[in-house]
């Protein structure tokens, strides 16, 4: 039975004209308005790490909503303090040493804060003229003007030009080009360990080492965008851990508050020490409800047993996808890490893009929801709590469609 789609929606045309209307979810299964069910291998674009219908998340949110929903950053609130301390604690020894957390509401906003802090740090420590920002080919850092300016893909940015000036890009995983470009004219470099939206390529250890070395040498702030890779998605708590990346600033968002909008920009002491009151801020970021839920999410995910299960499931996914690569001529390559992996579909851009759309629709009509990354990669990013049998069933559906 084909999925029943709704159309003529009161949303801008930058969204698809026909969409599935999802009514509810339980575990890793979603139900649409007509009662049809779907196995979810997309998690609301790598957000719903703990799956759907979680009574624990609902309980934490409801209890906090009865106490206090919003108060602004003119006042402190206990859940935000607790979450900031927890984030500082779980990142220490794994990804870096941070002394403060700037909360926000989305991945783009977390990266905006990071880019602003990089420029501010360069300005206050070295004076004007050291403000350039470097991002990588095929990166995706968000759609606000600053984050978009660090997203060197014409598909996203062309109609909005001119973008923020002096934001340049360099080839991902090319240490020589990085070395040739970086100088003390730069304030920051922003990178992803797995390019979540840009085709799922992984950073090489050599490139990570070069980033560490050059950023330290020129006192350029190294920003790790862990909006998609962070908090367990790759089978480790942070993507940086896989390749030894040593960032000065890290950004988190997608899974942070269990599906509620929240982001965190991790601030090191050297940046914090040059900040003044009023340099940056937000009305909603770090509200008591989202931060209360996020503390619960992080405690759940950071549990070593939880992470070990995610890593094991990621290995199962790797094995299943490798089998598809070996047996399906139109699948060129497997990419990604842990529970953020994908298959590259053969063909030139337009043909591969059309084929990816066809595969995703066919899987949806068979009750399995997938994502895309770049134009030619089928992305699999299920809730981290997915069981082995459900994952195998979903990948089997994909394999059948590919045949
Ligand atoms: N950074 C990365 C790596 C992302 O994958 C995304 C979203 O897909 C963003 C930033 C932007 O996040 P948001 O859509 O919440 O602004």
């Amino acid at each position: 039975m084909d999925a029943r789609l709704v159309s003529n929606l009161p949303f801008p045309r930058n969204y698809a004209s026909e969409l599935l209307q999802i009514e509810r979810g339980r575990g890793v299964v979603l139900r649409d308005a007509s009662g049809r069910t779907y196995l979810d291998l997309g998690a609301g674009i790598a957000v719903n790490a703990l799956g759907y219908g979680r009574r624990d998340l609902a309980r934490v949110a409801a209890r906090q909503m009865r106490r206090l929903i919003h108060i602004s950053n003119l006042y402190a609130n206990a859940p935000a303090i607790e979450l900031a301390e927890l984030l500082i604690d779980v990142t220490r020894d794994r990804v870096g040493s941070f002394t403060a957390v700037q909360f926000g509401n989305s991945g783009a906003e977390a990266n905006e804060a990071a880019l602003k802090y990089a420029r501010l740090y360069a300005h206050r420590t070295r004076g004007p003229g050291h403000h350039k920002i470097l991002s990588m080919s095929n990166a995706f850092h968000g759609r606000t003007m600053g984050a978009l300016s660090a997203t060197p893909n014409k598909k996203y940015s062309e109609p909005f030009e001119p973008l923020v000036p002096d934001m340049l890009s360099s080839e991902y995983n090319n240490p020589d080009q990085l070395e040739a470009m970086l100088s003390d004219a730069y304030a920051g470099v922003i990178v992803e360990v797995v390019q979540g939206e840009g085709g799922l390529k992984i950073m090489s250890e050599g490139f990570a080492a070069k980033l560490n070395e050059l950023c330290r040498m020129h006192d350029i702030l190294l920003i790790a965008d862990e909006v998609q890779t962070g908090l367990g998605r790759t089978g480790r708590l942070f993507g940086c851990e896989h390749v030894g990346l040593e960032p000065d600033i890290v950004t988190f968002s997608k899974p942070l508050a269990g599906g509620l909008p929240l982001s965190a920009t991790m601030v090191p002491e050297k940046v914090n020490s040059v900040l003044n009151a009023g340099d940056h801020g937000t009305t909603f970021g770090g509200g008591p409800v989202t931060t209360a839920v996020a503390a619960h999410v992080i405690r759940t995910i950071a549990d070593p047993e939880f992470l070990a299960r995610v890593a094991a499931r990621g290995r199962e996914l790797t094995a299943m996808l490798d089998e598809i690569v070996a047996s399906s001529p139109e699948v060129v390559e497997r990419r990604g890490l842990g529970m953020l992996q994908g298959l590259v579909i053969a063909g030139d851009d337009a043909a591969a893009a059309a084929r990816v759309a066809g595969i995703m629709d066919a899987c949806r009509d068979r009750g399995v929801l997938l994502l895309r990354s770049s134009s030619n990669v089928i992305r699999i990013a299920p809730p981290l709590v997915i069981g082995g049998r459900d994952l195998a069933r979903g990948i089997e559906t994909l394999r059948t469609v590919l045949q």
Side-chain angles (χ1 to χ4, degrees):
M1 182 177 68
D2 283 0
R4 205 173 305 157
L5 303 175
V6 288
S7 52
N8 293 323
L9 298 163
F11 307 131
R13 288 186 185 172
N14 42 216
Y15 294 114
S17 56
E18 290 189 312
L19 293 171
L20 260 189
Q21 185 170 323
I22 301 296
E23 297 285 308
R24 59 194 304 139
R26 190 165 192 81
V28 292
V29 175
L30 291 167
R31 185 181 295 269
D32 73 12
S34 69
R36 233 180 147 241
T37 58
Y38 303 85
L39 177 65
D40 178 26
L41 299 188
I45 321 188
V47 168
N48 301 315
L50 302 186
Y52 301 93
R54 297 278 303 214
R55 282 172 191 272
D56 52 349
L57 299 187
R59 205 179 306 118
V60 174
R63 195 171 50 193
Q64 185 55 47
M65 285 183 83
R66 283 192 293 267
R67 279 190 191 146
L68 182 70
I69 295 177
H70 174 78
I71 194 61
S72 89
N73 295 296
L74 299 176
Y75 306 91
N77 71 79
I81 296 169
E82 192 191 330
L83 177 63
E85 286 171 349
L86 189 56
L87 281 167
I88 288 167
D89 196 42
V90 295
T91 46
R92 189 183 302 120
D93 302 331
R94 284 188 169 111
V95 60
S97 177
F98 306 100
T99 55
V101 183
Q102 171 69 50
F103 290 116
N105 306 283
S106 66
E109 202 181 330
N111 289 332
E112 289 289 333
L115 297 169
K116 286 179 74 183
Y117 286 147
R119 282 203 166 170
L120 179 148
Y121 175 77
H123 198 275
R124 296 222 168 124
T125 57
R126 286 181 274 156
H130 308 273
H131 57 264
K132 288 186 180 174
I133 302 280
L134 193 72
S135 62
M136 298 299 137
S137 54
N138 296 320
F140 184 86
H141 297 295
R143 295 171 184 273
T144 52
M145 285 306 270
L148 189 63
S149 305
T151 297
N153 182 336
K154 289 278 178 197
K155 181 182 107 181
Y156 298 113
S157 61
E158 195 159 34
F160 308 106
E161 289 174 355
L163 302 175
V164 176
D166 287 332
M167 300 196 52
L168 291 90
S169 71
S170 169
E171 195 188 350
Y172 193 57
N173 280 339
N174 181 339
D176 296 337
Q177 193 179 353
L178 187 73
E179 187 148 23
M181 285 189 79
L182 284 184
S183 70
D184 94 327
Y186 281 82
V189 178
I190 183 164
V191 294
E192 298 157 275
V193 169
V194 180
Q195 296 192 309
E197 302 296 314
L200 298 178
K201 283 193 183 148
I202 307 173
M203 183 181 289
S204 69
E205 286 183 27
F207 193 63
K210 203 69 182 168
L211 281 163
N212 294 341
E213 176 200 323
L214 292 172
C215 288
R216 205 165 296 143
M217 182 161 76
H218 299 295
D219 202 18
I220 296 167
L221 293 190
L222 179 52
I223 303 163
D225 176 346
E226 292 246 23
V227 165
Q228 189 153 168
T229 51
L231 306 172
R233 172 62 52 198
T234 63
R236 302 183 79 158
L237 203 46
F238 307 109
C240 291
E241 295 178 85
H242 291 275
V243 295
L245 191 70
E246 294 167 3
D248 298 290
I249 294 181
V250 185
T251 58
F252 302 116
S253 185
K254 287 179 178 287
L256 181 56
L260 295 176
L262 180 68
S263 69
T265 303
M266 304 300 297
V267 182
E269 185 50 28
K270 73 176 185 180
V271 173
N272 205 22
S273 66
V274 296
L275 291 177
N276 297 326
D279 279 335
H280 188 61
T282 158
T283 297
F284 287 112
V289 178
T290 52
T291 51
V293 174
H296 183 80
V297 169
I298 290 180
R299 278 200 201 92
T300 306
I301 293 178
D303 176 347
E305 281 180 22
F306 184 97
L307 281 173
R309 275 197 300 275
V310 178
R313 197 97 326 126
R315 287 192 291 274
E316 291 164 24
L317 179 59
T318 301
M320 288 186 276
L321 295 182
D322 279 345
E323 235 179 79
I324 295 180
V325 176
S327 63
S328 171
E330 71 171 324
V331 179
V332 182
E333 189 188 344
R334 176 187 59 78
R335 287 195 193 146
L337 282 174
M339 299 291 264
L340 177 60
Q341 298 203 48
L343 296 174
V344 184
I345 300 300
D348 65 34
D349 264 9
R355 180 65 182 135
V356 166
I359 293 164
M360 288 173 66
D361 286 353
C363 286
R364 182 197 62 204
D365 290 344
R366 288 168 169 77
V368 174
L369 302 184
L370 295 160
L371 297 171
R372 164 203 290 276
S373 177
S374 180
S375 55
N376 62 338
V377 181
I378 294 170
R379 177 173 32 155
I380 296 139
L384 302 182
V385 293
I386 193 169
R389 265 195 290 178
D390 280 332
L391 186 61
R393 176 163 69 86
I395 301 304
E396 180 55 25
T397 301
L398 174 59
R399 200 179 61 81
T400 309
V401 165
L402 282 163
Q403 280 174 352

